[in-house]
Amino acid sequence: MNIQDKTIAKGFILSGLMNLTVLIFSRFFSNSTIPEYDPVVMSNFGLLMIVIWGLAYISIAYDYEKVKWLVAVFAIEKSIYGYIWIKWMLDNNVSEVYEKDIMAGLFYSIYGINDLIFCVFFLLVFIKTTNITKVP
């Protein structure tokens, strides 16, 4: 495993750990403010699924080249969450969330940025593993 592969592996681990921070922001699913402001996507079940996605990212950190299409799925998943966040930010007032709960406000302020950054990361890894930039 070369330095670039180690860096990519760390990216998968970091992405997974970032998803696991939902446990902190949600106070292990006891913070009712997060689901209150987005009861469909950020229900306690939705937050649990974010944790599961994070574990999936970590699980392939050292074998990502073997599952390049799964990496593409990760990029799609992150783009969906990024889109949902942008839409949420345009339709809601995050300062209201901060007034009710600082942790929920922080969560809503940053989760989409995180998802968009890792969407780009997964997309770049997918491109690298498929060699689609190389001309035959």
Side-chain angles (χ1 to χ4, degrees), residues 46-133:
L47 296 174
L48 176 62
M49 291 300 98
I50 290 170
V51 170
I52 299 302
W53 278 109
L55 295 174
Y57 308 148
I58 293 168
S59 75
I60 69 159
Y62 296 101
D63 294 314
Y64 65 89
E65 290 179 322
K66 297 176 184 173
V67 289
K68 61 186 172 192
W69 290 104
L70 181 58
V71 176
V73 170
F74 291 166
I76 294 166
E77 177 260 343
K78 287 294 191 185
S79 71
I80 292 168
Y81 275 96
Y83 169 79
I84 293 297
W85 176 76
I86 290 168
K87 187 171 175 355
W88 189 93
M89 291 298 276
L90 292 172
D91 295 342
N92 293 276
N93 184 352
V94 74
S95 63
E96 289 178 20
V97 182
Y98 274 102
E99 287 174 15
K100 284 194 113 175
D101 184 87
I102 290 174
M103 293 299 280
L106 284 170
F107 174 78
Y108 277 105
S109 294
I110 64 173
Y111 93 80
I113 296 166
N114 174 73
D115 288 337
L116 292 170
I117 289 168
F118 282 106
C119 172
V120 171
F121 168 75
F122 291 140
L123 183 60
L124 291 173
V125 172
F126 175 72
I127 290 168
K128 177 190 181 297
T129 59
T130 56
N131 297 317
I132 62 175
T133 57

